[in-house]
Amino acid sequence: GLQLLLDDSPSYLSGGRERVYRSLEPLEAGSRQLVLDPGEYILTVKRDDRLSRSLPVIVISGRTVRVDVRYDGAARKLEVTLK
């Protein structure tokens, strides 16, 4: 699977009223929702030490940020884009 990192960490402190320290599980098909405090983050999706993509993500209170991750294992191609 693909590993998700937030600010180079496999764990994060959730935002909202009930703040909880959580681990980022490996990405599988489908969607995932993370609740984060407003701010700037670096999101990294990593297949292995040689294949990873990072992008800055700005979280604004009350708004949703969508990130699309596509991985083609045969071509070893990884795409991470903001929607």
Side-chain angles (χ1 to χ4, degrees):
L2 299 172
Q3 169 135 24
L4 183 63
L5 302 172
L6 198 58
D7 289 338
D8 247 356
S9 175
S11 303
Y12 71 103
L13 185 62
S14 67
R17 293 189 177 137
E18 295 182 27
R19 296 170 58 93
V20 179
Y21 197 66
R22 298 191 171 159
S23 293
L24 293 163
E25 301 297 325
L27 290 177
E28 302 294 336
S31 63
R32 170 162 325 160
Q33 181 176 348
L34 303 177
V35 177
L36 301 170
D37 281 334
E40 292 186 35
Y41 301 89
I42 298 295
L43 179 74
T44 302
V45 179
K46 188 174 182 178
R47 172 65 180 135
D48 53 37
D49 287 336
R50 291 177 288 153
L51 184 60
S52 67
R53 298 288 181 267
S54 296
L55 69 141
V57 175
I58 298 173
V59 176
I60 298 171
S61 183
R63 296 211 179 159
T64 298
V65 176
R66 291 181 170 267
V67 177
D68 187 47
V69 176
R70 296 178 187 269
Y71 175 63
D72 180 342
R76 287 201 44 88
K77 183 176 181 183
L78 177 60
E79 295 178 9
V80 181
T81 54
L82 287 173
K83 292 282 181 173

